[in-house]
């Protein structure tokens, strides 16, 4: 009886390993790979915003605003596979700006982030036109924090549940083995007594 029990535990352990390995890539959400303008960059002007993601995205929202909250995006953002583009309304006055974006990633989860940048010369940026350096937001970092429970936690929970089920099956397999032994001993002793 011990060999089938060990075999069951081994098979469940292998299943858990595959579940953890396969769940890790599936839990990763898409991320912002590159943007034009880049985060914390200084540009002389801007006609169009370009956001490139790690996979196909949908339902984009792109807002371009200055420090006072005045908005400068124009029209609806366009999606082409993993690229989102948004037109900019008119020439931008010198100063600090923020691009706030939100999309639905290929796994169906919404992700979002912000990209601060400065319009003007590098001397204007050093004079205080730049967005505060204490609040840079990496587009790839923020979404993962806001999407809820990480996938690896679900994978570990699934592995614990499978191992628990394996332990129950092993425990059930051992209990019935003791009952037939006792019942077989009684008739054989009774028959031997009658024969004598």
């Amino acid at each position: 009886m011990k060999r089938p029990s060990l075999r069951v535990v081994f098979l469940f352990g292998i299943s858990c390993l595959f579940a953890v390995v396969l769940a890790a890539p599936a839990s990763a959400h898409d991320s912002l790979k590159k943007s034009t303008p880049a985060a914390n960059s200084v540009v002389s002007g801007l006609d169009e915003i370009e956001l490139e993601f790690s996979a196909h995205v949908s339902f984009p929202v792109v807002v371009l605003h200055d420090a006072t909250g005045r908005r400068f995006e124009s029209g609806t953002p366009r999606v082409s596979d993993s690229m989102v583009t948004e037109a900019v309304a008119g020439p931008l006055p010198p100063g600090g700006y923020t691009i706030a974006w939100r999309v639905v990633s290929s796994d169906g989860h919404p992700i979002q982030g912000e990209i601060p940048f400065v319009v003007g010369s590098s001397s204007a940026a050093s004079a205080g036109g730049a967005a505060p350096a204490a609040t840079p937001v990496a587009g790839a970092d923020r979404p993962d924090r806001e999407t809820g429970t990480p996938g690896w936690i679900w994978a570990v929970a699934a592995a614990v549940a499978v191992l628990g089920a394996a332990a129950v099956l092993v425990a059930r397999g051992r209990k019935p083995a003791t009952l037939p032994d006792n019942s077989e001993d009684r008739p054989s002793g009774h028959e031997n007594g009658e024969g004598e």
Side-chain angles (χ1 to χ4, degrees):
M1 286 302 268
K2 289 183 179 178
R3 287 184 183 173
S5 300
L6 292 175
R7 188 177 303 150
V8 169
V9 172
F10 176 75
L11 290 175
F12 274 110
I14 294 295
S15 300
C16 292
L17 180 63
F18 278 119
V20 170
V21 168
L22 295 177
S27 67
H29 299 297
D30 301 332
S31 60
L32 181 65
K33 286 175 51 178
K34 185 171 72 167
S35 68
T36 304
N40 301 312
S41 64
V42 178
V43 297
S44 58
L46 185 65
D47 296 325
E48 188 176 63
I49 298 166
E50 293 182 348
L51 307 173
E52 183 180 352
F53 294 88
S54 58
H56 175 76
V57 295
S58 55
F59 305 109
V61 175
V62 180
V63 175
L64 172 61
H65 63 86
D66 63 9
T68 66
R70 183 178 169 201
R71 293 174 58 168
F72 293 91
E73 74 275 4
S74 174
T76 316
R78 299 176 305 280
V79 180
S80 176
D81 195 27
S82 62
M83 183 72 74
V84 174
T85 56
E86 172 69 65
V88 175
L92 297 176
Y97 293 85
T98 301
I99 300 166
W101 58 266
R102 180 181 176 91
V103 296
V104 175
S105 64
S106 58
D107 64 0
H109 288 88
I111 56 174
Q112 62 188 9
E114 292 181 346
I115 305 165
F117 70 98
V118 174
V119 173
S121 64
S122 56
S123 59
S126 61
T135 58
V137 178
D141 293 336
R142 254 184 96 153
D144 293 339
R145 294 179 193 162
E146 298 176 359
T147 52
T149 307
W152 67 268
I153 290 179
W154 291 111
V156 169
V160 169
V162 170
L163 287 176
V168 169
L169 289 175
V170 169
R172 282 186 181 177
R174 289 184 182 172
K175 287 180 182 177
T178 56
L179 295 175
D181 291 339
N182 293 339
S183 62
E184 287 175 9
D185 289 344
R186 289 179 185 171
S188 61
H190 183 63
E191 287 172 8
N192 289 340
E194 284 182 349
E196 291 174 6

